[in-house]
Amino acid sequence: MKTTNDDLAPKKIDTRGFPYRLWMLSYGVAVVFLGSCSVLPAKTFETRQSDTQAQKTIEPNPGIIPPPIFSSSGDPNFVVKVVQNVGPAVVRIDSSRTITSRVPDEFNDPFFQRFFKDAAPQPRQRVEQGSGSGFIINSSGQIVTNSHVVDGADRVTVILKDGRTFDGKVLGEDPVTDVATIKIDANNLPTLSVGNSDALQPGEAVIAIGNPLGLNNTVTSGIISATGRSGSDIGASDKRVDYIQTDAAINPGNSGGPLLNARGQVIAMNTAIIRGAQGLGFAIPINTVQKIAQELIAKGKVDHPYLGVQMVTLTPENKERIKNVAGDGLNITADDGVLLVEIVPRSPASVAGLRVGDVIKSINNQPVTKIEEVQKLVEKSKIGTKLPIEVERNGQIVQVGIQPAPLPVRREG
């Protein structure tokens, strides 16, 4: 598979209708996801106790402040020790899939076939190959990587640092969080210790290991630049992840590889960069990876709650622009909240009676003012269990109960 360069800004809803004109009020960012384009019982990640002896801390000169990458450990060579300790648990993942070209409908017309059947084009096949990274989470051969690394793959090959090669079986994929699990037939494999991504702070030192651009076992380092970046922040509005931002150099092929802290614990999975930017890499927090991976190992899929709405955060600027676009076609009295700009037909939101122009004020009695807050509360809800939502409609408060359904997943490619 080739590197994914999709522009994940909001798609056109209806080029002739009002909802599309509303969506044009927002802007998109080109995000590049870094890969190439029997169910086991759920298990927790294995952890390894480091047998590295505690290093004696050297007091720095009070007049000199070391950079974060050094000051977090007190040892300027700590990256070497981390890589030596955890490098064998990082793998390369090669994948291939067969693409069949589609014959245009015109050539299926009976008239054409009658006179030009010998000249009609035939479907053609080509094989796309790609490469990414992953890391071992269980000594019996369970591996995590990005969903987009193995999406649609006919064959997956896992290559260990020691040169051993295995055929990989995809246990499950979750495109919504971009996490996948793979199983290889091996035992007594090295694994990574797992950190706590909920406790991370900007400025902490991090290390990335992977196979960027086919250069195996590449190591880069940097710091955590920010936490809690939403999918819409980075232009991946279809992903339900709060990303960790880092300035550690990551490139296509790093997808699925680990982002480690100074103690060698994996705290995130590298996944995306913003096209044309420098020092803007994004990784999926390991707490999210661990949760999703366990569900994939247990049942091969993850069901995410779904309402069937498209929305925009209502700000004074957006409200003014909406008035200019909609004119008298929409009466928005609210000054904040989340404006619904499209309702998917036959979706839970449609069945419950939500309408274009409704402004969500609260979900499950929790106030919301941003689309990210709505997404988080919906993600925490239960499929099939009624979710109370309060909306403002034409100046009136309306209470609506919605039963979320499983999110329909559209595969890449």
Side-chain angles (χ1 to χ4, degrees), residues 7-8 36 59 64 68 74 99 137 144 193 205 224-225 250 266 278 281 298 307 348 378 399 402 406 408 410:
D7 183 351
L8 296 177
S36 32
E59 291 295 331
I64 301 176
I99 304 298
I137 60 172
V144 293
S193 297
I224 294 175
S225 304
I250 55 176
V266 57
Q278 293 184 357
L307 300 185
V378 172
Q399 305 292 337
I402 301 180
R410 182 180 64 184

Side-chain angles (χ1 to χ4, degrees), residues 13-25 321-327 329-330 332 339-342 356-357:
I13 309 304
D14 178 357
T15 57
R16 298 167 297 176
F18 171 63
Y20 169 66
R21 296 198 299 274
L22 283 186
W23 268 115
M24 294 300 289
L25 298 171
R321 292 171 185 169
I322 291 168
K323 286 183 178 179
N324 293 335
V325 170
L330 197 61
I332 303 175
L339 174 68
L340 302 185
V341 298
E342 178 75 355
V356 171

